[in-house]
Amino acid sequence: MSDAVVAIEAVWRNESTRLIAAIARVTRDIGIAEELAQDALVVALERWPEEGIPDNPGAWLMTAAKRRAIDSLRRSRMLMPKHGEIAREIEAQQEQLGEEMDRALDQVIDDDVLRLVFTACHPILPVEGRIALTLRVIGGLTTAEIARAFLVPEKTMGQRIFRAKKTLSEAQVPFETPRADELKPRIASVLSVIYLVFNEGHVATSGDEWMRTRLCDEALRLGRLLVQLLPGESEVHALLALMELNAARTAARRGSDGEAILLPDQDRSLWDKAQIERGMVALEHAQRLGGGAGYHALQAAIAACHMRARSAEDTDWERIVLLYDALMQIAPSPVVALNRAVAVGMAQGPTAGLDALDMPSVASGLEGNHLLHSVRGELLTKLGRFPEARVEIERAIALTHNARERELLSGKLKLIANSGARLHAV
């Protein structure tokens, strides 16, 4: 792969969301904005290998997208009434066209991406459509990655995203941050998708890297903007607390070669103390607003338990089990049940953890997910049931799509093999 192609891919990962958001502010259509941004990417793929990488690749892509936005709006005058209206406005101000488009596209204000999130989370879309579309245009995830995250076929997810774009376009949904009574109905969806973007950054579903820190940073930026926009919403503060506390461990979650390091093995001196403090303050704020029992607040409280512990052994696992019990009451899901089983295993022993793991609420919902087999393998290892543990870890390896996670699981497999060999020697 040439240096130019590598550079293009890196720029696209870093700039695509802001690029799409900026274009959508002008075209008023997310689908068209995404197409124009990708057109600019195609031009870069054609020209950069020959002409060299520009000094400011992001600005180059923005300029290329801007030109295509202008051409598209002019052409659409003859094709679609909605875009024709925009085109007529442009044609009526020909002399100011370049200057106005420069202001619209080059001066990307901080909440353009937030506007994009709120637009993608419009109530006109079903919940699954809102989440899928936002992960696509905000998180930059491929359709295949989103499909794996939601355990559905890639074709199904592709159709879901296509329908969401089409619905927004046909309904002429405005590209804006809603006001007053229109704002609250979208908050839950917006919080959900921002957290999903963060989670994809925290542990990538696929690829060669354990984390996608850009996604974590973007989710945190959006969370901080939401706190400014909605200072009285407890769950907004709770989500920010959850992300701050989890992001505080970033430096300790990867080794010198980028390898994954799980929570029990992390050097806690590397945790960002200032970020932990910000997270704790945000959690306290959420609790003062009366939202201590909310979905994100409970998860933030779990993260806070880990932050307060000097070691994995010192962690208040009993309290964490209680917090997961509360989560299962308000938002039951296979993933919550899986995490609860891990906590039960730490608090009450691996046998209790296995019992919790084998409950229908876990096994039936995570069939085909590598995490289920990974956790079961870990618990079986602690019980000395090495042959069974090896089978589970091998299944987990076969199901994971992340190279770093595969390395981690392969390391566990070697430890199991060594432990089994020592047992036989005894």
Side-chain angles (χ1 to χ4, degrees):
M1 187 179 294
S2 70
D3 290 343
V5 173
V6 172
I8 293 168
E9 289 182 351
V11 172
W12 181 254
R13 284 195 300 271
N14 292 329
E15 302 291 341
S16 60
T17 299
R18 291 178 183 271
L19 193 63
I20 292 168
I23 299 169
R25 180 152 50 94
V26 177
T27 62
R28 307 174 195 175
D29 189 300
I30 291 178
I32 290 176
E34 188 177 17
E35 290 174 8
L36 292 172
Q38 289 172 346
D39 285 347
L41 177 67
V42 171
V43 175
L45 285 167
E46 293 173 348
R47 295 176 56 178
W48 289 10
E50 294 182 3
E51 300 176 4
I53 302 167
D55 293 334
N56 190 334
W60 191 100
L61 279 176
M62 185 67 78
T63 299
K66 177 183 64 178
R67 290 170 181 161
R68 274 151 186 76
I70 293 172
D71 293 341
S72 175
L73 290 171
R74 283 172 171 162
R75 287 195 306 270
S76 64
R77 175 180 180 178
M78 297 177 291
L79 300 176
M80 297 178 64
K82 180 182 71 169
H83 299 128
E85 180 182 344
I86 303 171
R88 282 192 294 273
E89 293 173 5
I90 291 175
E91 294 293 348
Q93 302 175 17
Q94 272 292 333
E95 294 182 0
Q96 302 176 21
L97 176 60
E99 182 181 345
E100 290 182 0
M101 291 298 288
D102 282 344
R103 283 200 299 269
L105 284 171
D106 294 339
Q107 297 177 2
V108 181
I109 60 176
D110 281 345
D111 64 350
D112 261 356
V113 177
L114 192 59
R115 286 193 185 103
L116 185 59
V117 173
F118 272 103
T119 302
C121 290
H122 196 280
I124 197 172
L125 298 178
V127 173
E128 62 271 16
R130 300 175 207 171
I131 294 173
L133 180 59
T134 307
L135 288 175
R136 182 77 180 87
V137 298
I138 301 296
L141 276 65
T142 66
T143 302
E145 288 170 335
I146 302 171
R148 282 197 294 270
F150 287 92
L151 306 178
V152 299
E154 182 177 348
K155 182 178 180 180
T156 300
M157 186 56 67
Q159 292 171 342
R160 189 177 295 176
I161 294 170
F162 174 79
R163 285 195 299 269
K165 292 178 185 177
K166 185 178 180 181
T167 299
L168 290 176
S169 179
E170 291 177 346
Q172 300 186 28
V173 172
F175 181 73
E176 63 185 11
T177 302
R179 299 288 187 266
D181 58 335
E182 295 182 356
L183 188 59
K184 284 188 178 293
R186 299 197 214 175
I187 292 175
S189 287
V190 169
L191 294 180
S192 295
V193 296
I194 289 176
Y195 187 40
L196 283 168
V197 170
F198 180 86
N199 277 340
E200 177 60 30
H202 196 60
V203 179
T205 56
S206 63
D208 296 328
E209 297 301 325
W210 174 233
M211 301 177 64
R212 299 182 182 187
T213 53
R214 180 187 67 82
L215 293 184
C216 290
D217 292 343
E218 182 64 11
L220 277 164
R221 189 185 73 83
L222 293 174
R224 291 163 185 157
L225 279 174
L226 275 180
V227 164
Q228 296 173 24
L229 181 66
L230 302 164
E233 291 290 331
S234 63
E235 274 290 86
V236 173
H237 291 276
L239 173 62
L240 181 59
L242 176 58
M243 294 191 296
E244 295 277 18
L245 292 172
N246 282 332
R249 297 191 290 110
T250 296
R253 296 186 67 240
R254 287 182 293 195
S256 57
D257 293 327
E259 70 273 19
I261 302 177
L262 297 181
L263 179 60
D265 303 316
Q266 288 170 15
D267 179 353
R268 300 189 178 213
S269 68
L270 297 177
W271 290 0
D272 189 327
K273 294 179 177 60
Q275 194 160 25
I276 292 173
E277 180 61 25
R278 289 198 299 271
M280 294 296 191
V281 169
L283 178 56
E284 290 171 5
H285 202 138
Q287 292 168 340
R288 283 199 302 271
L289 289 170
Y295 176 73
H296 295 104
L298 288 170
Q299 293 199 76
I302 292 169
C305 286
H306 292 297
M307 296 296 104
R308 295 188 185 103
R310 294 184 177 180
S311 68
E313 293 73 25
D314 292 336
T315 305
D316 190 348
W317 289 106
E318 292 288 357
R319 174 169 171 73
I320 290 176
V321 171
L322 292 175
L323 290 168
Y324 275 121
D325 286 342
L327 263 178
M328 287 296 291
Q329 290 295 316
I330 65 168
S333 76
V335 174
V336 172
L338 175 71
N339 287 326
R340 179 186 177 277
V342 172
V344 168
M346 295 298 294
Q348 303 168 23
T351 299
L354 277 175
D355 290 341
L357 195 66
D358 289 335
M359 294 175 65
S361 58
V362 184
S364 61
L366 289 175
E367 190 63 37
N369 188 300
H370 73 283
L371 292 175
L372 175 65
H373 300 289
S374 175
V375 171
R376 182 175 282 123
E378 185 76 20
L379 292 169
L380 289 167
T381 299
K382 290 180 178 180
L383 289 170
R385 294 161 58 178
F386 300 119
E388 295 169 82
R390 184 180 65 251
V391 170
E392 294 295 339
I393 297 300
E394 286 174 346
R395 288 176 180 170
I397 291 172
L399 290 169
T400 187
H401 298 278
N402 182 282
R404 294 299 186 178
E405 201 157 10
R406 195 176 296 115
E407 287 176 1
L408 185 70
L409 291 167
S410 296
K412 288 185 178 182
L413 199 60
K414 291 178 181 177
L415 288 175
I416 290 171
N418 292 335
S419 297
R422 285 198 299 270
L423 185 64
H424 286 302
V426 172

